[in-house]
Amino acid sequence: MGRFEYKSLVLATLVGFLALSEALPPSEPAEEFRGVWVATVDNIDWPTRRDLSTDQQKHELMAILDRCQALNLNAVILQVRTSCDALYDSKLEPWSEFLTGQQGRPPSPYWDPLKLAVTEAHKRGLELHAWFNPYRAKHPAMKGALDKSHLANSDPALVKTYGQYLWLDPGEPKVQERSLAVILDVVKRYDVDGVHIDDYFYPYPIRDADGKTIPFPDDPSFQAYQARGGKLNRDDWRRKNVDDFIQAIHKGIKRHKPRVKFGISPFGIYRPNMPEGIKAGLDQYAELYADCLKWLKEGWCDYFTPQLYWRIDPPAQSYPKLLEWWAANNPKKVAIWPGSFTGQIGEKQANWPVDEILRQIEASRAVKGVTGQVHFSMKSLMQNWKGIGDKLVEGPYRQKVRVPGARSK
């Protein structure tokens, strides 16, 4: 072969390679958790109204699962307990008002949303994680009467009024037992892939007109603790109550179904100035009594989803800076799957540019030890706000991938 023919061949090969490279999708990890929260409280995501028929509810749920499959997601985190209620068939708690319009009233015609959700998610190659609120007892969006079986009626000493909410007292041993029993009942009876709790431990503080925090009314349980010989101050005692509950959930799940993952999604900033320069309007350690850094370091969960609900660039709450800090404080190598506030792209929300979410996905992939993301919430993806769904499948979610460490179906 002459020199000219050789150079032409090399040039043609290079041109062909470059054309092929441009056609290939950007590099994606072989495994990655791609989850989405489906919120049922106040009918945020599903069902869209509390007066829908059974067929309408089923249709909406199947449409959500189909959409997740089409977007190459691989996990759905479905809220099944919003306020000591149930969006599944439970002998422990009443049917949710957000499902049937009246707390305690079963669906008619009858169906079990969680059972169907698990079955249909698995058919589509999706994991189904059951999301619980362990302490909230009544949400302000609940308009009807509480069922006679609701804890506020069956054991009112466990329930406290705090602002517009009813809240279970985490310092009451019966509260810990009840919430744990509810979670393990689902683990035992349903083929869920995970159990998930979010950032609601002791309630977010309510302030009076002068900006002073209104104290959570747990005098009786704290006095009972002291009467039993307890020596901790109230703040440390509150944190221990939550610590003990987190440990109990993890141990209980592993005792009954070791393959079921336990995930926690706390407020995304541990404490102000951690890491240095980070500002927060809330100190969850001191105000929610959530020592989530301790849970991560002790390995009391299988995956950790800090709610990093801020943009990449502002230095006071920087998505990558916070994510790097969490990943660096993970000696047990718990899976880190950060939460993104995808709904903030909405024009009626914060009106973020849609590229913010795409950049957050890429930023998460650049941090060692981070192997996924979770989006809040399904509505933005379902309605394709600003073309977010299209851009996900054209960009970072071009290919289907497995959940890290997923079981074989």
Side-chain angles (χ1 to χ4, degrees), residues 119-134:
T119 299
E120 294 297 326
H122 288 172
K123 285 181 182 178
R124 292 163 175 79
L126 303 166
E127 289 196 349
L128 197 292
H129 294 222
W131 166 18
F132 299 83
N133 291 96

Side-chain angles (χ1 to χ4, degrees), residues 314-366:
Q317 294 101 9
S318 165
Y319 176 98
K321 187 173 181 179
L322 285 163
L323 182 54
E324 289 165 5
W325 186 86
W326 284 114
N329 285 278
N330 183 22
K332 300 287 188 180
K333 307 301 180 186
V334 171
I336 303 287
W337 302 331
S340 289
F341 201 166
T342 306
Q344 290 287 58
I345 67 174
E347 294 178 357
K348 295 182 180 179
Q349 309 304 320
N351 203 24
W352 287 359
V354 71
D355 285 351
E356 174 68 29
I357 303 304
L358 307 182
R359 290 175 65 206
Q360 289 187 7
I361 293 170
E362 295 303 331
S364 74
R365 290 174 175 173

